[in-house]
Amino acid sequence: GNRNMNAKLVLLGDVGAGKSSLVLRFVKGQFVEFQESTIGAAFFSQTLAVNDATVKFEIWDTAGQERYHSLAPMYYRGAAAAIIVYDITNQASFDKAKKWVQELQAQGNTNMVVALAGNKADLLDARKVPAEVAQVYAQENGLFFMETSAKDATNVNDMFYEIAKRLPRV
Ligand code: GDP
Ligand code: MG
């Protein structure tokens, strides 16, 4: 088989959940407290070695604002993977994540690897969404779940690595 593969990956989720911060952490190993809002979408790429193969992620970081919602299919169509991000301190962002899950399920690409990321896991004192609730929801919907922190780097590389391992091999 092909040892080097490209994988289109899209990040979806409410504005402020930390999509851009997760990408910045994964691609550049950095975090900024005042991450600028994404306009439309931004593109990044990063290559990961998995076993004896490499996966080059072509990452679309979407904006999350409702006014850009109609653009989202351009980014998730044909994607091998999606990360749906919510903020563990914000119940509304979890509700929004479920809406994204429904939208992805409705568009019918059953091969897509979908991860649910409960971000800002460093803000434990402000938690509103119990990890167990998200875990059960993820299991029921065939998603792969992790709590992440773009700020302290918890589970960020691991999440991309787990996605890479789940991609169908060519
Ligand atoms: P996006 O709209 O989903 O792209 O969210 P951003 O990446 O722009 O992040 C929104 C805000 O949350 C910014 O002020 C970030 O610094 C902050 N943020 C993002 N990830 C984390 C995290 O893991 N922990 C904490 N404490 N703050 C975060
Ligand atoms: Mg953003």
Side-chain angles (χ1 to χ4, degrees), residues 83-98:
I83 302 176
I84 299 177
V85 184
Y86 69 94
D87 169 354
I88 69 158
T89 74
N90 181 333
Q91 176 65 42
S93 77
F94 185 59
D95 298 338
K96 188 65 197 272
K98 292 180 180 176

Side-chain angles (χ1 to χ4, degrees), residues 14-21 35-39 42 61-65:
D14 212 355
V15 60
K19 299 176 294 300
S20 299
S21 298
Q35 175 65 36
E36 282 177 36
S37 269
T38 310
I39 313 280
D61 171 23
T62 65
Q65 283 103 334

Side-chain angles (χ1 to χ4, degrees), residues 50-69:
V50 181
N51 303 325
D52 55 349
T54 66
V55 176
K56 183 182 180 193
F57 281 114
E58 296 163 341
I59 302 170
W60 285 101
D61 171 23
T62 65
Q65 283 103 334
E66 264 320 305
R67 73 187 126 118
Y68 298 117
H69 195 119

Side-chain angles (χ1 to χ4, degrees), residues 2-168:
N2 189 346
R3 302 279 78 198
N4 302 312
M5 63 184 286
N6 288 14
K8 178 178 170 185
L9 179 149
V10 63
L11 285 101
L12 301 167
D14 212 355
V15 60
K19 299 176 294 300
S20 299
S21 298
L22 286 168
V23 175
L24 184 67
R25 171 60 74 189
F26 176 56
V27 172
K28 296 192 177 150
Q30 296 170 359
F31 176 78
V32 293
E33 290 286 347
F34 302 101
Q35 175 65 36
E36 282 177 36
S37 269
T38 310
I39 313 280
F43 179 79
F44 301 84
S45 75
Q46 176 71 304
T47 301
L48 265 190
V50 181
N51 303 325
D52 55 349
T54 66
V55 176
K56 183 182 180 193
F57 281 114
E58 296 163 341
I59 302 170
W60 285 101
D61 171 23
T62 65
Q65 283 103 334
E66 264 320 305
R67 73 187 126 118
Y68 298 117
H69 195 119
S70 62
L71 299 179
M74 283 198 328
Y75 302 108
Y76 63 65
R77 201 171 292 136
I83 302 176
I84 299 177
V85 184
Y86 69 94
D87 169 354
I88 69 158
T89 74
N90 181 333
Q91 176 65 42
S93 77
F94 185 59
D95 298 338
K96 188 65 197 272
K98 292 180 180 176
K99 289 253 157 50
W100 281 116
V101 171
Q102 285 170 3
E103 182 165 339
L104 285 189
Q105 286 170 344
Q107 59 92 38
N109 174 3
T110 50
N111 290 326
M112 195 189 286
V113 176
V114 183
L116 179 66
N119 190 44
K120 309 198 187 181
D122 56 289
L123 300 178
L124 274 184
D125 292 347
R127 177 192 288 280
K128 294 280 161 34
V129 183
E132 304 71 38
V133 170
Q135 176 66 68
V136 167
Y137 175 78
Q139 212 147 13
E140 287 171 354
N141 287 275
L143 318 173
F144 146 68
F145 172 65
M146 269 191 169
E147 288 196 341
T148 58
S149 169
K151 183 168 184 172
D152 70 14
T154 300
N155 279 343
V156 178
N157 285 356
D158 288 358
M159 181 175 57
F160 283 90
Y161 188 77
E162 289 299 324
I163 291 168
K165 284 203 302 191
R166 285 168 167 78
L167 293 171

